[in-house]
């Protein structure tokens, strides 16, 4: 197995800092144990969001690594890291995880996709598993990089994309219609089958001459009904679409076309109700057998209305104010899939108009954040807080903090220089305080209006780093 750079690096850091008890976090500050004295000292946070924590890999350690190790105990394996990447948890700490992606980790990630029955076609993977997709793009040269990857994974790219199965799918659809019609013929259902109507321009699967109703049979609830809406509805008062796969409790009326599960529809029909229980059961079992041959998994899920209930749960949690990662934990799917459902890209047959509400709210939240963040950065920085502290408080990168400062013609260095001048003035002011601690507290109170985020620790640190040595 090829060596994984990220795995090697993170395990070295975990062994030397965590297992050897040389690093800890008290909820506010990081502390490092001195190797010679065994004493704990406050870890210095250096430029670039790294802390002074010497290891065999260097004299400092990125904070992203530290946060990851403290919140995700090791030692680590490739399988563990790939699972965290698959769940989106790795990217809470890292952007592009340098050194993680290799032939082996791409294979492991792809295996997770297949085991969870997620689509593996290029468009879905690009939209929902972008870091993995980008790693594939970086690993191959030339055109159709994802196709090359699929071939290496011993997958048929045409079958994955659906191109190979297009004609098979169409034929299967006709075969399904034929099987359902045969079930209806067994009980002499009052329909004409494949009758040509309106000058041979319309050929519905079923036609009821007594009610002048046309009925078409579809494979899945998400199958489009454009033909029925645009053509059938203009000629017939009653148009129904029956679907085999999908929620068995849901009924949709779209522009006058009724769309309903064949299981629900058949139990409404008088000709079916008049049959004996034994014959009714036989017909329903016949429909079940057709569904199971298409997909046993979907058959099981449809019986318990899995997808409809899942969407209802997700929408309800969203209405209650839970964010996507929180919803993900509650319903047991990835937070990216939660987002995909809420914005209507997945399972849209069950979401109704909620994606419009969700996307409008998302846009408003983004607009509000874009408006509020610069003001928060300005207030916190002018209030005496350094860039890295502002970054931690608001939850954005230090680069974004600097960007917001720049757009407002603010400069952290100038702001801090002005603040420090005020500190020096107060250090030099004669007072009756008996100890430096009392004076530091007094300075904080004196500057509370100018710099509301100035802390006792910051005053003390500046005094001993800049003023104390000058007075010696």
């Amino acid at each position: 197995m090829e060596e994984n750079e990220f795995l090697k690096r993170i395990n070295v850091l975990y062994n030397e800092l965590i297992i050897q008890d040389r690093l800890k976090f008290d909820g506010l500050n990081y502390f490092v144990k001195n190797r010679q004295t065994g004493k704990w000292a406050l870890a210095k946070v250096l430029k670039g969001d790294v802390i002074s924590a010497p290891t065999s890999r260097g004299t400092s350690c990125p904070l992203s690594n530290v946060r990851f190790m403290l919140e995700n105990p090791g030692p680590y394996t490739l399988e563990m890291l790939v699972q965290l990447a698959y769940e989106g948890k790795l990217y809470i700490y890292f952007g592009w995880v340098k050194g993680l992606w290799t032939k082996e980790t791409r294979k492991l990630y792809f295996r997770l996709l297949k085991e969870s029955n997620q689509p593996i076609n290029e468009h879905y993977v690009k939209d929902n598993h972008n870091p993995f997709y980008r790693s594939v793009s970086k690993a191959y040269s030339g055109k159709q990089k994802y196709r090359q990857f699929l071939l290496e994974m011993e997958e048929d790219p045409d079958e994955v994309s659906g191109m190979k199965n297009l004609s098979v799918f169409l034929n299967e659809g006709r075969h399904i219609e034929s099987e359902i019609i045969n079930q209806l013929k067994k009980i002499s259902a009052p329909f004409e089958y494949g009758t040509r109507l309106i000058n041979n321009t319309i050929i519905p699967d079923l036609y009821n001459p007594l009610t002048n109703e046309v009925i078409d049979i579809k494979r899945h609830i998400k199958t489009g009904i454009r033909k029925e809406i645009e053509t059938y509805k203009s000629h017939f008062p009653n148009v129904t679409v029956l679907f085999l796969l999908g929620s068995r409790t849901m009924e949709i009326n779209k522009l006058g076309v009724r769309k309903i599960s064949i299981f629900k529809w058949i139990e409404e029909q008088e000709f079916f109700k008049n049959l004996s229980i034994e014959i009714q059961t036989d017909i329903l079992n016949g429909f079940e057998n057709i569904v199971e041959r298409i997909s046993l998994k979907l058959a099981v899920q449809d019986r318990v209305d899995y997808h409809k209930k899942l969407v209802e749960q997700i929408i309800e949690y969203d209405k209650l104010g839970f964010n996507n990662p929180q919803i993900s934990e509650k319903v047991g799917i990835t937070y990216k899939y939660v987002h995909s459902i809420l914005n209507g890209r997945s399972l849209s047959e069950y979401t109704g108009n909620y994606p419009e509400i969700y996307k409008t709210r998302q846009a408003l939240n983004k607009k509000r954040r874009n408006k509020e963040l610069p003001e928060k950065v300005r207030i916190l920085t002018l209030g005496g807080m350094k860039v890295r502290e502002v970054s931690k408080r608001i939850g954005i990168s230090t680069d974004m903090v600097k960007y917001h400062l720049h757009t407002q013609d603010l400069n952290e260095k100038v702001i801090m220089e002005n603040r420090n001048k005020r500190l020096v003035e107060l250090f030099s002011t004669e007072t009756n305080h008996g100890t430096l601690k009392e004076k530091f507290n007094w300075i904080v109170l004196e500057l509370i209006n100018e710099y509301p985020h100035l802390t006792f620790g910051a005053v003390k640190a500046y005094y001993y780093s800049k003023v104390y040595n000058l007075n010696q």
Side-chain angles (χ1 to χ4, degrees), residues 375-389:
E375 180 64 9
K376 284 184 179 179
V377 169
R378 185 183 73 83
I379 291 172
L380 292 174
T381 307
L382 288 175
M385 192 175 283
K386 292 187 176 181
V387 164
R388 64 171 177 269
E389 295 166 335

Side-chain angles (χ1 to χ4, degrees), residues 400-462:
M400 282 305 299
V401 174
K402 291 173 183 176
Y403 167 78
H404 289 308
L405 289 174
H406 176 72
T407 58
Q408 299 176 83
D409 292 323
L410 296 173
N411 184 300
E412 181 202 24
K413 185 178 179 181
V414 173
I415 293 169
M416 289 302 149
E417 284 176 353
N418 292 334
R419 187 203 72 174
N420 294 339
K421 285 179 183 177
R422 293 287 288 122
L423 289 177
V424 171
E425 288 174 10
L426 294 175
F427 287 142
S428 304
T429 302
E430 293 290 337
T431 65
N432 295 323
H433 296 109
T435 65
L436 281 174
K437 181 178 179 180
E438 292 174 354
K439 189 163 186 175
F440 293 158
N441 279 321
W442 169 74
I443 290 173
V444 171
L445 292 174
E446 284 292 306
L447 297 179
I448 195 70
N449 292 326
E450 293 176 65
Y451 302 103
H453 304 293
L454 180 66
T455 63
F456 175 90
V459 174
K460 179 180 177 181
Y462 186 76

